[in-house]
Amino acid sequence: MTAVLLSGRELSARIRNDTAAAAHVLRAAGTSPALAVVTATADEASASYVRSIARTAARAEVDCEIHDLGPSASEEDIRDWLAKLSADPAVHGIILQTPLPSGVSPLALAGAIDPAKDIDGANPLSLGRLVVGLPAFAPATAAAVLKLLDHHAIGLSGRRVVVVGRSTVVGKPVAHLLLARDATVTICHSRTADLAEYTREADVVVVAAGRAGLVTGAQLRAGCCVIDVGTNTDGAGGIIGDVEAASVLPVAKALSPVPGGVGPVTTALLIEHTVRAAASALR
Ligand code: NAD
């Protein structure tokens, strides 16, 4: 047996096409959906991610402005920009890109993003609404995990799902989205005593730890599905996930590849959320 690869490319293309069509309708009605990205770092991986967001926006004919405040921007500078963009009716979606300058906390600043424009679910209010089941934008990566599972018809109700990672941007929101779909969810993290004890019992494993090779085939139940959210550099200019694909492929039923799994769905969803926010602003 070798696992099926849960590609995100076809799904991403479909989301982008549907988003482009929705953006076209909005423009015909006089609204140009617009995304603003605030960045304050010289980090090359971050810059490359922002470029990929801008490319995806351009393909869906969504405006994307990048506000690069530079790595020495102060917390006040960044908060002022977020407040200005939140108040600007021509802006529909706002992303606060990380990392931020040292000492500046994304959580302290994300509260300055208008929840209606918080298309990457960064404002703590968005996560709170998500947890209690009120409408909110989920962080795009967490939403992408669910979209990918649905696209490949992987059932969740009543299934045992282990999420590896408890960050505010991925682990926690994805766990709540899975719970809302009636999965039985266990969250593991860096202090979990024996990770394999949990992953071996799981029907579905979502790995978002940022540790290359953390999950291997020996830690999994035969026939499980694995979603690899991790993106790590491989030392040769490429990116690899958190899952050791070579040992997992013969054990699992399905594995999302890195690159080409969760990543392209995430960027497509950021633009889809922006267009949805623009449509809501019209109502
Ligand atoms: P983070 O560093 O904020 O959190 C990592 C989490 O993993 C923590 O909760 C930590 O407890 C847990 N962890 C670390 N080591 C562990 C171990 N040995 N065993 C069990 N748990 C462990 O990272 P993040 O922002 O949540 O991102 C996680 C990964 O997902 C990173 O590789 C990141 O690059 C990637 N990511 C991908 C996308 C995408 O669109 N594909 C988007 C966001 C993040």
Side-chain angles (χ1 to χ4, degrees):
M1 181 174 80
T2 187
V4 172
L5 286 180
L6 304 174
S7 169
R9 298 222 188 268
E10 182 198 272
L11 171 60
S12 165
R14 198 171 76 194
I15 295 169
R16 279 188 274 111
N17 286 341
D18 292 351
T19 302
H24 183 77
V25 170
L26 283 174
R27 268 197 309 280
T31 293
S32 285
L35 171 64
V37 182
V38 175
T39 166
T41 175
D43 182 72
E44 182 41 42
S46 165
S48 150
Y49 181 60
V50 170
R51 285 195 294 273
S52 87
I53 293 170
R55 272 197 308 274
T56 308
R59 281 154 83 183
E61 293 183 51
V62 166
D63 299 336
C64 178
E65 286 174 8
I66 297 161
H67 302 281
D68 185 356
L69 310 188
S72 53
S74 69
E75 191 164 321
E76 289 68 34
D77 292 338
I78 303 169
R79 186 177 283 106
D80 286 352
W81 266 100
L82 295 173
K84 191 172 132 179
L85 294 165
S86 290
D88 183 347
V91 172
H92 305 102
I94 301 170
I95 295 174
L96 173 60
Q97 183 58 20
T98 55
L100 291 169
S102 78
V104 179
S105 147
L107 267 186
L109 281 172
I113 303 174
D114 176 351
K117 302 183 181 188
D118 185 26
I119 55 92
D120 201 16
N123 188 324
L125 282 177
S126 300
L127 185 55
R129 291 179 64 91
L130 203 76
V131 169
V132 297
L134 287 170
F137 288 114
T141 308
V145 170
L146 273 288
K147 287 271 182 199
L148 196 61
L149 287 165
D150 287 347
H151 178 70
H152 291 282
I154 293 165
L156 291 169
S157 179
R159 311 289 294 280
R160 286 166 297 186
V161 183
V162 166
V163 176
V164 184
R166 58 174 164 182
S167 73
T168 309
V169 283
V170 194
K172 281 183 188 136
V174 88
H176 282 285
L177 292 173
L178 290 160
L179 194 58
R181 298 287 298 278
D182 301 320
T184 301
V185 183
T186 304
I187 305 175
C188 295
H189 48 79
S190 53
R191 300 292 177 92
T192 298
D194 182 358
L195 180 61
E197 186 187 330
Y198 299 92
T199 53
R200 257 188 224 116
E201 295 297 316
D203 301 307
V204 177
V205 181
V206 178
V207 194
R211 301 277 182 276
L214 178 66
V215 172
T216 66
Q219 299 168 320
L220 299 172
R221 203 172 62 74
C224 70
C225 296
V226 184
I227 302 293
D228 191 353
V229 182
T231 54
N232 309 287
T233 50
D234 65 1
I239 67 159
I240 53 172
D242 287 351
V243 168
E244 187 187 72
S247 64
V248 168
L249 285 170
V251 176
K253 184 170 75 182
L255 167 65
S256 71
V258 178
V262 174
V265 182
T266 300
T267 39
L269 282 179
L270 286 170
I271 310 307
E272 194 249 356
H273 288 181
T274 302
V275 172
R276 257 206 279 151
S280 300
L282 271 187
R283 285 184 215 122

